Amino acid sequence: MLSSYLTLAAILFCIGLYGTLAKRNAIIVLLSLELMLNAVNLNLIAFSKYGAIPSLTGQLFSIFTITVAAAEAAIAVAILIALFRARGTVLVDAFNRMRR
Amino acid sequence: MFNVNITGEYVVFFIFATIIIGGAVLMISLEKVVHMVISMAAAFLGLAGMYVLLDAEFVAFVQVLIYAGAVSILMIFGIMMTKHNGEAAEPVKPLHETLAVIGALCLFGLLFYAIRASDFQSTAAFHPGEDNTLAIGELLFTGYIVPFELLSILLTVAFIGAIALAKKEAE
């Protein structure tokens, strides 16, 4: 049963990785990042039930991850709004001033 | 390899997995940005159901509150605050997209091989405690009090920073 959960988490992580790499809209990139974080959470909770030493610590760590992810989402949306004010777009390939 | 007994847990797992992967794939493939966020919320709710299946009720409700509630609404706010003409821009670089697909598939192949090759054996049964929330609270406020306080400081700093970033410059 554990390997089913791990496979599901791997699928989710790879979908998130693809979205992060290939999407041009910054909000969708952020959503894909959240998807990857959720895949990690699923792994933590699956190991907390089916791992070698089952304990509640995995669930606790996933709560920590959720908290950090919430802070990350708030900061990211704030940066996105500031960037939109400065550049007038949310497409990630428009944010290339430091490359020039 | 796939010698899985068809039990009740497996059936429920399959239903939730369908919801989650369907939501995630729809998020990748839909046209409009708001629809993408809604399908993502469906995937988050499916993950919450999966957590209930894994005896993590408290984390499941945190997931519904934080992800399906707060993060989705925050993303919709982000869409509303920035100008979108409704359509997500199509990728114009086919080479870039192909490389992303190849990278993601390679990573999945690697992970799948590692999962299949590993021998997971559980020595003890999982005891989620009489009351899952009570057990997590006791663990959080006894063993993990320092990370908890650090996280509260991180959240405070992050939200003050978000307000400072998004505040309009007085010019």
Side-chain angles (χ1 to χ4, degrees), chain A residues 1-8 10-15 17-19 21-25 27-28 30-32 34-35 38 41-42 45-52 54-57 59-64 66-71 73-75 77-79 81-82 84-85 90-91, chain B residues 9-10 13 20-21 24-25 27-28 33 36-37 40 44 47 50-51 53-56 58-59 63 66-67 74-75 78-79 81-84 89-90 96-97 100-101 104 107-108 111-112 115-116 120-124 126 132 135-136 139-140 144 147 151 155 158-159 162 165-166 168:
Chain A
M1 203 61 217
L2 175 60
S3 51
S4 315
Y5 287 106
L6 295 188
T7 311
L8 174 67
I11 292 171
L12 273 188
F13 192 89
C14 291
I15 293 175
L17 182 67
Y18 167 73
L21 291 178
K23 289 290 172 184
R24 289 176 69 211
N25 193 323
I27 290 181
I28 303 307
L30 286 180
L31 269 181
S32 306
E34 298 291 334
L35 196 64
N38 264 293
N41 278 343
L42 183 62
I45 293 178
F47 272 111
S48 108
K49 186 176 180 187
Y50 290 111
S55 73
L56 275 179
T57 315
Q59 299 185 13
L60 207 59
F61 273 35
S62 71
I63 291 173
F64 289 156
I66 288 173
T67 317
V68 175
I75 289 284
V77 170
I79 290 176
I81 290 171
F84 177 74
R85 284 212 194 100
V90 289
L91 299 182
Chain B
E9 185 187 4
Y10 195 74
F13 169 82
I20 294 167
I21 295 179
V25 170
M27 190 275 280
I28 291 297
V33 189
M36 290 173 166
V37 179
M40 201 61 204
F44 288 152
L47 271 164
M50 202 65 97
Y51 295 162
L53 196 63
L54 283 164
D55 293 335
F58 180 68
V59 186
Q63 167 90 9
I66 303 292
Y67 274 113
L74 194 65
M75 292 300 168
I79 292 169
M81 296 283 284
T82 57
K83 196 175 77 181
H84 281 82
E90 287 299 308
H96 183 89
E97 204 184 352
V101 170
L107 180 69
F108 177 69
L111 287 174
F112 191 72
I115 290 166
R116 283 297 156 199
F120 299 112
Q121 43 191 358
S122 182
T123 49
F126 179 56
N132 184 249
I136 284 183
L139 197 59
L140 189 62
Y144 292 89
L151 266 184
L155 268 183
F159 289 138
L165 274 173
K168 231 177 197 131

Side-chain angles (χ1 to χ4, degrees), chain B:
Chain B
M1 231 170 144
F2 287 101
N3 49 355
V4 188
N5 297 323
I6 303 296
T7 58
E9 185 187 4
Y10 195 74
V11 173
V12 180
F13 169 82
F14 192 75
I15 293 170
F16 281 132
T18 313
I19 294 173
I20 294 167
I21 295 179
V25 170
L26 275 180
M27 190 275 280
I28 291 297
S29 59
L30 277 177
E31 294 280 312
K32 295 196 173 186
V33 189
V34 179
H35 295 178
M36 290 173 166
V37 179
I38 300 295
S39 66
M40 201 61 204
F44 288 152
L45 286 176
L47 271 164
M50 202 65 97
Y51 295 162
V52 172
L53 196 63
L54 283 164
D55 293 335
E57 291 89 2
F58 180 68
V59 186
F61 284 103
V62 168
Q63 167 90 9
V64 172
L65 283 176
I66 303 292
Y67 274 113
V71 170
S72 303
I73 298 300
L74 194 65
M75 292 300 168
I76 289 178
F77 263 125
I79 292 169
M80 299 299 172
M81 296 283 284
T82 57
K83 196 175 77 181
H84 281 82
N85 46 6
E87 304 281 318
E90 287 299 308
V92 287
K93 287 180 278 191
L95 175 69
H96 183 89
E97 204 184 352
T98 316
L99 281 180
V101 170
I102 290 172
L105 281 180
C106 284
L107 180 69
F108 177 69
L110 197 69
L111 287 174
F112 191 72
Y113 171 73
I115 290 166
R116 283 297 156 199
S118 311
D119 181 24
F120 299 112
Q121 43 191 358
S122 182
T123 49
F126 179 56
H127 298 295
E130 294 280 313
D131 187 344
N132 184 249
T133 314
L134 182 71
I136 284 183
E138 279 178 352
L139 197 59
L140 189 62
F141 288 110
T142 54
Y144 292 89
I145 186 71
V146 175
F148 176 76
E149 295 294 341
L150 283 177
L151 266 184
S152 59
I153 293 171
L154 173 76
L155 268 183
T156 314
V157 171
F159 289 138
I160 291 173
I163 293 168
L165 274 173
K167 200 180 64 174
K168 231 177 197 131
E169 299 282 325
E171 287 183 52

